[in-house]
Amino acid sequence: METADFIQTYYRERKQTDSLKWDALKERYGNENLLPLWVADMDFSAPSSVQEALKERIEHGIFGYSLVPENYFSAYDGWQKRHEQTSFQPEWLHFTSVVVQGLYDLITCFTEEGDQIIVQPPVYYPFFDMIRDQKRQLVTSNLVETPSGYQMDLVHFERQLIENDIKLFILCSPHNPVGRVWSKEELKTILSLCQKYGVLVISDEIHSDLILTGKSFVSAVTVAKEADFLDQLIVCNAPSKTFNLASLLNAHIWLPGENLRKQYQKWESLHHHTGISVLGQVAAIAAYETGDDWLRDLLAIVEENYQLLQRQLLNAIPEIKLSELQGTYLAWLDLRDWLSTEADVKNTVQNQAKLAIDYGEWFSSETKGFIRINLATKSENIQKAITNLIEVDRKLKGGNGE
Ligand SMILES: Cc1ncc(COP(=O)(O)O)c(C=O)c1O
C-alpha cells in the first residue's frame, strides 16, 4: 500500500479516546494543547485483519476463562521464522500482561533484595524503576557515542562485572531510545561476558519487529543457541509494540532453559495467577498470520518521517544531531549544541514549539539536552513538529522569519 493510502486507512484521531498519549497531556505536561510525540505507541490502528478477527470474537459474546489456542504457537512461530529467523519451543513460552510486568516478575523470581542488576543507559526508564522499586541495586554501563553511532562500552561493562557482584543484565535489543539494532558480533561479545561471569540475561526484545531498511534483527536466543548459553537467557517480547495492541494485555516471556523454567513456574504458582487475555490472543494470532504487509507499510512511514527530520530539521537547524535510526520508531535527537540548558529544552520544545516529547534525562542523567520523538504517526504531524521547531529557532536567532 502507498504511504498516503496507509495513512488514509489506518491513521486515527485519538483525542478523547482515553489514549494515554493524547488524553494525558494536561496531567503529564501541564498543557493539553501539545502535539503528542511521546510514549511508544502509534497513531495507526491495527491491521484490518486483526480488527475483523476481534469483531468476530466479540460477536460470540462470551469472554469466560480461556485456553491458549493451539494455533497461537504455529502463528507466532511462523512470524518468528519469517521476520526474525528465530524459532522457539512451545514449552519455552509463558504469557504475561505487558513486558514491564514480566520484567518486574522476573526480577522478583530470579534475584534477591540487594542484588546488583546492570543496564546500559540511556535506556527505557522503567528499567530503573523496576530495579529500585524492588530494592535491588542499579549498576550502569553507559552506551558511548562514537562517530559511527552508539556502541556498547564492552571494556567498561566487563569491568563492572568484575568489580561488582552482578546477578542480572537487562539488555534492550533493539535499544530504546538510541535506535540501535545490535549486531550478532556485539551480542556474542556481551553474552559471552555474561557467560564468563555467571550473569543471568534478560533480553527485552519488544522492538524486534521494528527494523529499518538495511538492518536485520538478531535475537539473543540465536546467539545463545550457538554459544550454549540458553540456560542463562530469558527473552521478553510481545505483539503489542509491533501492531499497536498494548491495551490488549498479551506479552511473552521465553524461558528456554529447563532450570530457569522450573524456577519460574514454581514462582508463578506462588505469586502470579493472572489468566490470559482472550482478545489479546485473538489479535496476536491474526496479526502474526496476516500482518506482514501492514508492518512493511508502517515501517515505510517511519522511515519517511525519519527522513523528514534528516532533510528538513537538520538542514534548518544544523546544531541538532540525530542518531541513526536502525530499529524502533523512536528518533533520538541531541539538542545540546542548539540549546544550552535543560530549562531551555523544555521552554523551547514544549512551551514554544508545543510538542510533548520524552526528555533525555528520563533515560540517563547524562543525556540531559536530548529528546526522543515518536515517529509512528502521520507525516503531517512530524512536519508540524519540524515547522514549529524551525519557527522557534528563527525567533531564538533573532531572525524575522525569512
Ligand atoms: C524496551 C521496552 N520494553 C518494554 C516496553 C513496554 O512494554 P509493555 O507495554 O508491554 O510493558 C517498552 C515500551 O516502550 C519498551 O520500549
Side-chain angles (χ1 to χ4, degrees):
M1 202 184 266
E2 293 293 319
T3 303
D5 295 335
F6 186 93
I7 290 174
Q8 173 83 20
T9 312
Y10 290 110
Y11 182 81
R12 297 281 185 276
E13 292 302 331
R14 300 181 68 193
K15 265 200 171 162
Q16 294 180 336
T17 62
D18 299 318
S19 148
L20 173 68
K21 187 179 182 183
W22 287 80
D23 293 324
L25 291 170
K26 178 104 183 113
E27 183 195 323
R28 299 292 173 116
Y29 291 87
N31 181 353
E32 63 194 335
N33 297 314
L34 303 175
L35 175 63
L37 301 171
W38 67 297
V39 73
D41 81 359
M42 317 194 211
D43 297 330
F44 300 113
S45 68
S48 310
S49 54
V50 172
Q51 297 175 48
E52 289 308 316
L54 285 169
K55 278 183 206 153
E56 200 180 303
R57 184 61 184 79
I58 284 170
E59 294 251 305
H60 175 57
I62 296 180
F63 307 102
Y65 299 118
S66 298
L67 300 170
V68 180
E70 276 293 307
N71 63 340
Y72 194 96
F73 299 102
S74 53
Y76 180 34
D77 196 43
W79 179 269
Q80 285 294 128
K81 285 183 179 141
R82 290 198 304 286
H83 289 265
E84 303 184 3
Q85 292 76 48
T86 318
S87 192
F88 65 91
Q89 311 292 326
E91 67 268 21
W92 296 3
L93 196 60
H94 288 245
F95 291 95
T96 183
S97 52
V98 291
V99 166
V100 166
Q101 183 60 51
L103 293 170
Y104 268 86
D105 291 347
L106 292 166
I107 290 173
T108 321
C109 173
F110 291 109
T111 64
E112 308 274 331
E113 267 190 39
D115 278 355
Q116 295 180 315
I117 302 180
I118 190 164
V119 299
Q120 295 173 302
V123 75
Y124 179 59
Y125 40 86
F127 287 2
F128 306 130
D129 301 332
M130 57 186 74
I131 293 168
R132 292 196 182 116
D133 288 350
Q134 303 196 81
K135 302 192 172 55
R136 275 59 170 171
Q137 291 181 57
L138 174 71
V139 179
T140 56
S141 178
N142 289 344
L143 300 180
V144 285
E145 265 188 286
T146 72
S148 58
Y150 276 93
Q151 306 286 341
M152 298 183 177
D153 187 343
L154 294 161
V155 173
H156 180 262
F157 187 88
E158 179 165 22
R159 199 170 337 118
Q160 291 291 52
L161 298 195
I162 294 169
E163 289 174 4
N164 299 281
D165 183 19
I166 308 285
K167 289 286 181 318
L168 173 68
F169 166 41
I170 308 180
L171 168 69
C172 192
S173 175
H175 195 100
N176 170 11
V178 308
R180 273 297 319 272
V181 175
W182 302 118
S183 69
K184 193 166 184 183
E185 280 315 305
E186 287 168 306
L187 291 171
K188 260 189 193 165
T189 315
I190 200 137
L191 292 190
S192 70
L193 288 174
C194 292
Q195 190 168 28
K196 180 170 168 192
Y197 296 97
V199 173
L200 177 68
V201 178
I202 300 177
S203 184
D204 178 344
E205 301 185 354
I206 195 167
H207 295 276
S208 59
D209 295 317
L210 300 157
I211 307 297
L212 300 197
T213 310
K215 292 286 154 195
S216 45
F217 172 75
V218 180
S219 171
V221 165
T222 306
V223 175
K225 253 187 208 160
E226 291 170 15
D228 208 12
F229 188 65
L230 278 183
D231 272 354
Q232 257 172 272
L233 176 70
I234 302 170
V235 167
C236 294
N237 68 12
S240 55
K241 204 64 62 187
T242 315
F243 298 106
N244 214 17
L245 305 171
S247 285
L248 290 183
L249 305 179
N250 179 57
H252 307 136
I253 298 175
W254 292 21
L255 288 147
E258 198 182 340
N259 289 340
L260 294 183
R261 200 157 60 233
K262 280 193 181 144
Q263 198 178 333
Y264 186 69
Q265 277 160 348
K266 184 164 175 217
W267 181 88
E268 251 193 327
S269 73
L270 296 173
H271 303 282
H272 189 112
H273 289 268
T274 315
I276 56 151
S277 158
V278 65
L279 294 182
Q281 298 219 328
V282 164
I285 292 170
Y288 286 141
E289 284 178 345
T290 62
D292 305 58
D293 292 351
W294 180 95
L295 179 62
R296 183 200 56 216
D297 297 344
L298 169 87
L299 289 172
I301 291 180
V302 173
E303 204 131 11
E304 203 173 293
N305 286 342
Y306 179 73
Q307 283 159 10
L308 272 181
L309 287 182
Q310 256 180 335
R311 273 201 318 272
Q312 298 189 6
L313 187 66
L314 301 195
N315 263 345
I317 315 176
E319 297 90 339
I320 296 180
K321 294 195 196 85
L322 174 65
S323 288
E324 185 193 353
L325 189 67
Q326 302 182 339
T328 81
Y329 49 70
L330 307 163
W332 183 238
L333 296 101
D334 179 356
L335 308 187
R336 289 172 304 176
D337 288 343
W338 183 38
L339 306 165
S340 47
T341 67
E342 254 171 281
D344 283 344
V345 173
K346 184 166 179 196
N347 186 37
T348 309
V349 178
Q350 185 173 317
N351 300 347
Q352 296 188 56
K354 302 278 180 246
L355 308 179
I357 45 74
D358 285 54
Y359 290 102
E361 60 267 31
W362 296 355
F363 301 89
S364 163
S365 56
E366 290 180 31
T367 48
K368 292 174 182 153
F370 288 69
I371 59 168
R372 192 192 77 176
I373 291 186
N374 182 337
L375 300 176
T377 188
K378 62 179 176 182
S379 306
E380 197 184 311
N381 283 337
I382 299 302
Q383 187 66 65
K384 184 167 192 296
I386 294 171
T387 307
N388 290 4
L389 288 167
I390 294 175
E391 186 89 355
V392 177
D393 179 60
R394 286 191 179 141
K395 282 191 203 142
L396 280 175
K397 290 176 180 156
N400 58 9
E402 283 169 17

